[in-house]
Amino acid sequence: MRKRQPAEPYRIKSVEPIKLLPREERVVRLRRANYNIFKLDGADIYIDLLTDSGTGAMSSRQWAALMLGDETYAGASSFRKFEKTVREIFGKRFVIPCHQGRSAENLVFTTILEKGKFVLNNTHFDTTKGNTLHKGGIPLDFPCPEADSDDPLPFKGNMDCIRLDEFIHARGSEQVAMVIMTITNNSVGGQPVSMANIKETSAICRKHNIPFYFDCARFAENAFFIKRDEAAYHDKSIAEITTEMFSCCDGAMMSAKKDGLANIGGFITLDDEELYHRLTELLILVEGFPTYGGLAGRDLEVLSVGLHEAMDYDYLDFRIDQVKYFGEKIKAAGIPIVEPTGGHAVFCDAGKLLPRIPPGQFPGQSLTVAFYIEGGVRATEIGSLMFGGIDSETGKMAYAPRELMRMALPRRVYTNSHFDYIAEAAEKIVAGKDKLRGFEIIREPVFLRHFTCDLKALNEETVFVDT
Ligand code: F0G
């Protein structure tokens, strides 16, 4: 294994202190949070890998752009700049700003979904699934068969086009409200989709006359993988690849808190004029006037710069390699991971590491708790706590396909010594893994239960790794 990753392609201009609380204090705070990691405060955490969403560091150019924010209610110059940027990068006619990805989902699904209609996706992210269900739709996933394989294959985020086509034939295209491609595919490990797969999915949608949209929070990271791993694209720029990707879809919803390199923001972009008008009617009701959509002018300025910076080749090359470097370290510490590492996170296979903890007792949560207690590190469960529960169609208890724990890397925030430190904590957890026990839910909401549920440790004494 290599000793270190190439050094960061940036230097630090502003610092934010972080502090590791004593171990006993971490135990107290986690108990107080009912073992739900989302209920901890930022100040309780040493290294926060809960999400790569809205947690990135802005560049000096973005901080400078922030001062240019035009806070005019209607027709702000900051919006015009943002609209031009989004049009140039993604190539669609209309741009609807909104405050984050799930508000884009809410607007789209409220406007187009009829009760009982299907939304088909390579894999829904939790808020996309939640928003579909909330509007009475039925979200179904069509991940490619390789997504479940242990082999480090490229493009494991792909859509299973054969199953997708069969499903549409069997149910009839009028039953399908929309096909969505999540790029990169967050829920299967931040794995990318290939250009070939995007084109194939697009052709199926065109054949059946079904709208085809991207959920494109991490479009630039996806474009990097296409450049690196798809032979025909080695010599194309990230911007050219992005243009080609988006020429295949009818529109997109973006959480710009990821590859917008901003702390807040999102948008919908599309060509359909009639739908644009319907969406903006609702936008005014729930988000704001169409030239700000719930954002400040300064946010729109920051996004206009960030969307371009996210497509910088050197930045992407470092970032994707940093995720890989971290993954190699975690694997060397003895924790099985999803391979290859994807664009934004290392996904640990808690099901494999802790086979004695059944899915119904959330092995991913046990590992998440262990990382907090051992290292003050916050990760998140991506398994049956997030995706399990009573199935709306069958009425039976359903479990996630894999019991994972995600460690997401905020963009441009942590250096490689932070990741080396976490790998040391991982070694200690692996040494004490037989002592880890499961959890049960003692209170849960109807939607997105992992965010706010309360948990109980099945064995308080043994839940913590004792080193
Ligand atoms: N789509 C994808 C693929 C996402 O990963 C997210 C958010 C959203 C939509 C919703 O966007 O947070 O701006 O409302 N993902 C974050 C994560 C929260 O941690 O993976 P949002």
Side-chain angles (χ1 to χ4, degrees):
M1 197 180 66
R2 59 187 164 161
K3 283 222 179 62
R4 65 170 187 85
Q5 204 214 355
E8 287 78 0
Y10 42 81
R11 56 187 178 186
I12 295 163
K13 190 167 243 168
S14 174
V15 295
E16 186 181 4
I18 51 174
K19 190 169 159 52
L20 179 63
L21 295 175
R23 186 186 180 99
E24 317 79 71
E25 190 55 34
R26 300 202 289 273
V27 171
V28 169
R29 297 198 186 197
L30 195 61
R31 283 205 178 116
R32 217 188 285 150
N34 285 326
Y35 299 105
N36 187 334
I37 209 90
F38 284 95
K39 294 189 181 182
L40 290 173
D41 284 346
D44 301 334
I45 315 292
Y46 181 45
I47 298 176
D48 203 347
L49 306 187
L50 184 69
T51 180
D52 62 320
S53 181
T55 53
M58 295 211 295
S59 67
S60 46
R61 285 184 60 234
Q62 284 179 294
W63 282 109
L66 190 127
M67 287 304 292
L68 301 174
D70 173 0
E71 308 302 345
T72 304
Y73 189 96
S77 61
S78 299
F79 174 71
R80 294 293 166 227
K81 200 182 288 174
F82 174 72
E83 183 182 47
K84 185 165 171 279
T85 304
V86 174
R87 277 186 182 148
E88 272 169 14
I89 296 175
F90 303 103
K92 306 289 173 209
R93 282 173 71 199
F94 300 107
V95 180
I96 301 172
C98 53
H99 81 272
Q100 62 181 90
R102 69 199 72 183
S103 51
E105 292 159 9
N106 184 15
L107 290 165
V108 168
F109 295 137
T110 305
T111 306
I112 65 148
L113 256 188
E114 290 164 38
K115 241 185 164 46
K117 291 276 165 83
F118 294 102
V119 176
L120 313 180
N121 204 319
N122 45 350
T123 316
H124 284 84
F125 180 67
D126 59 358
T127 59
T128 329
K129 183 178 174 192
N131 263 301
T132 304
L133 288 169
H134 191 248
K135 314 297 175 255
I138 305 171
L140 293 180
D141 293 340
F142 292 81
C144 66
E146 295 79 21
D148 272 341
S149 140
D150 285 335
D151 298 331
L153 302 165
F155 302 117
K156 281 169 141 182
N158 279 350
M159 181 85 79
D160 185 337
C161 287
I162 296 174
R163 274 209 307 131
L164 180 76
D165 199 28
E166 280 171 2
F167 180 87
I168 301 171
H169 269 297
R171 295 296 186 116
S173 54
E174 62 293 341
Q175 293 306 313
V176 181
M178 179 177 268
V179 172
I180 300 177
M181 191 95 148
T182 305
I183 53 175
T184 58
N185 191 339
N186 189 356
S187 308
V188 304
Q191 301 292 323
V193 296
S194 69
M195 189 73 89
N197 189 255
I198 291 174
K199 289 192 171 167
E200 206 182 333
T201 308
S202 173
I204 291 169
C205 294
R206 299 248 148 97
K207 181 175 78 179
H208 294 287
N209 205 16
I210 297 171
F212 178 39
Y213 275 63
F214 286 158
D215 176 355
C216 66
R218 302 176 180 88
F219 76 96
E221 290 167 4
N222 200 100
F224 177 86
F225 283 107
I226 290 177
K227 180 175 169 66
R228 197 188 69 183
D229 297 334
E230 220 170 336
Y233 294 91
H234 292 335
D235 297 330
K236 295 240 159 91
S237 69
I238 299 295
E240 285 166 337
I241 293 170
T242 302
T243 303
E244 193 168 329
M245 283 160 68
F246 283 78
S247 70
C248 301
C249 67
D250 299 303
M253 296 170 268
M254 176 158 182
S255 166
K257 298 169 73 173
K258 287 84 167 171
D259 279 352
L261 291 176
N263 302 119
I264 195 72
F267 60 85
I268 304 164
T269 187
L270 73 171
D271 278 329
D272 181 337
E273 185 162 5
E274 196 259 335
L275 181 55
Y276 165 76
H277 289 303
R278 286 165 65 206
L279 287 167
T280 46
E281 269 176 41
L282 182 59
L283 182 82
I284 294 171
L285 274 177
V286 299
E287 286 277 294
F289 193 73
T291 61
Y292 73 87
L295 294 168
R298 65 180 77 102
D299 300 323
L300 294 165
E301 291 285 344
V302 158
L303 279 169
S304 299
V305 178
L307 284 165
H308 279 296
E309 287 185 356
M311 298 198 302
D312 178 82
Y313 179 80
D314 292 339
Y315 153 75
L316 282 170
D317 190 30
F318 173 81
R319 168 153 178 88
I320 303 298
D321 195 49
Q322 186 175 51
V323 177
K324 184 163 179 266
Y325 170 80
F326 182 40
E328 284 167 0
K329 288 236 146 190
I330 292 294
K331 191 180 165 191
I335 299 184
I337 61 164
V338 173
E339 289 183 274
T341 43
H344 69 291
V346 172
F347 287 70
C348 299
D349 197 328
K352 273 197 197 141
L353 180 74
L354 308 169
R356 287 177 307 103
I357 304 179
Q361 294 178 9
F362 314 122
Q365 186 63 14
S366 305
L367 189 58
T368 305
V369 164
F371 265 99
Y372 179 65
I373 297 302
E374 192 51 54
V377 176
R378 178 154 66 171
T380 184
E381 194 265 5
I382 307 246
S384 292
L385 182 60
M386 182 180 271
F387 292 117
I390 305 290
D391 187 281
S392 53
E393 279 203 330
T394 64
K396 290 193 184 138
M397 186 58 78
Y399 300 106
R402 293 173 93 167
E403 300 303 328
L404 302 177
M405 183 199 77
R406 186 185 79 170
M407 293 195 277
L409 280 69
R411 294 170 180 78
R412 310 189 289 204
V413 171
Y414 294 116
T415 66
N416 291 328
S417 32
H418 291 109
F419 296 114
D420 292 345
Y421 162 86
I422 300 171
E424 277 172 27
E427 282 171 15
K428 292 184 193 156
I429 291 168
V430 171
K433 75 181 164 69
D434 292 338
K435 294 186 203 143
L436 296 179
R437 293 293 179 270
F439 289 84
E440 73 176 315
I441 298 177
I442 51 174
R443 192 199 60 80
E444 64 180 298
V446 181
F447 293 104
L448 303 174
R449 65 178 183 181
H450 55 287
F451 285 132
T452 55
C453 69
D454 292 321
L455 295 149
K456 182 168 154 263
L458 287 170
N459 185 338
E460 273 270 331
E461 279 105 70
T462 52
V463 74
F464 306 118
V465 189
D466 199 6
T467 49

